[in-house]
Amino acid sequence: MKKSFLAFIRDQFTAIPPVPTADLTGLTVLVVGANTGLGLECTKHLARMKPGRLILACRSQQRGEAAIAQVKEETGYGAAELWLLDLAQFSSVIAFADRFEKDGGRLDIVVANAAIATEEYDTTSDGWETTLQVNNLSTDLLCLLLAPRLVETAKKNPSVKPRLVVVGSETHFWVDFPDEVYKAPNAFELISSKEFSVPRMGSRYMESKLLGTFFTQSLAELLKDTPVIVNTVNPGLCHSELLRDTTGVRALVTSLIKSILARSTECGSRQLVYAAVGGSDDPDRLRGAYLNLYGVEEPSDHTLGEDGKERRDKLWKDLIYVLTKVDGRVKDIVQEYSR
C-alpha cells in the first residue's frame, strides 16, 4: 500500500471513536514512555480500567513520579508503579528485564511507546546512532526479553491473550531503504554509520518506524504458535512533545501543519488503547497487523510481497545478531519459539 498526503489529511480529519474499554482486573500492564504525551494519555485510559498492576517505564524519576501523581489525580488509580528505563543504554534495558524476571510476576499488556525524533547525528554510549538505538534496537531488545513472560502468563491463564503493542506511524509509508542496506554485511551497522546517517537524518524518525513495522511482522511470526498478539499502531499526528527538538525551517513547517491537522494527544492515545485491548470479537486478526483508525490496514509496499519478506528476513537476521551480542538470551528466545 502507498499512502498519499491527501490520504493522511483525510485520516487526520476522521473522528476517533470513543476509547475502547476492557476489564483489566488482576492483569499487569506495562507502558513504556508513560510520563508524557501519548504514553501518559494511554496510561490514564488503562488506569481507568483498574488493572491489577500498572507499571510506568520512564527515563526520569522526577517526571515519572509527576506522571503517577497525575494518573492518580485524574483517574483515582493509586497503585501505579514507576520503573526506570533508559532506552539509550542497553544496560538499562537488561536491568529492567532482569527486574521483571525477578519480581514482575505476570505480564498481560506491553505498550512500547517511547521514541525520539532528532535531526542531529549523535551516538549513545553503546556506540549506536541515538534514534536507531532508542526507537529500534533497545525497544526490540526489551520486547524480545519480555516475550517469554507474556507467553508464560498465557500458559498459566488460558483465557488470556497477552498483547504487545509497538507504537508505529504512517510516516513509514514515506521512506524506503536503498538496496545497499539489504546487501550490507549487517544492515543495522550500516544504518547507524555516520556516512549513511548524516545525509538522511531528516528522515531518520520515519526510517525508524519502517524498521518498527518490519520488527512487528517478524516478532508476530516468531510468536505465531503462542497466544501472544503482537501489533503496531499509528496514533496519527498529535499535539505531543515528539518533535520538540526540531529546529529551523522544518520546525516552522511542522508547527504550521500541526496547527491545522494535528489531533489532541488524548485522541491519538485511543488508538494505542485499541491496539492493547480492542478488537476482542476477533483478536487474532490483529496478529502482526498495522492498525489505524481502529482497523487493520496494509502497511507500506516496501514491507510486502516476496521482496518485502526478503528485506524483513535480512533485517531480522541482522537484528538478532546485534542483540545477541548485547544479551545472549535473545538467541535462546528466538530458538525457543522457532521450533
Side-chain angles (χ1 to χ4, degrees), residues 10 32-33 49 105 136 167 244 258:
R10 180 200 63 209
V32 181
M49 302 178 208
N136 301 114
V167 178
R244 59 186 177 272
K258 287 179 70 174

Side-chain angles (χ1 to χ4, degrees), residues 240-255:
S240 70
E241 296 184 13
L242 176 64
L243 300 174
R244 59 186 177 272
D245 294 328
T246 307
T247 59
V249 175
R250 185 181 290 267
L252 293 174
V253 173
T254 299
S255 178

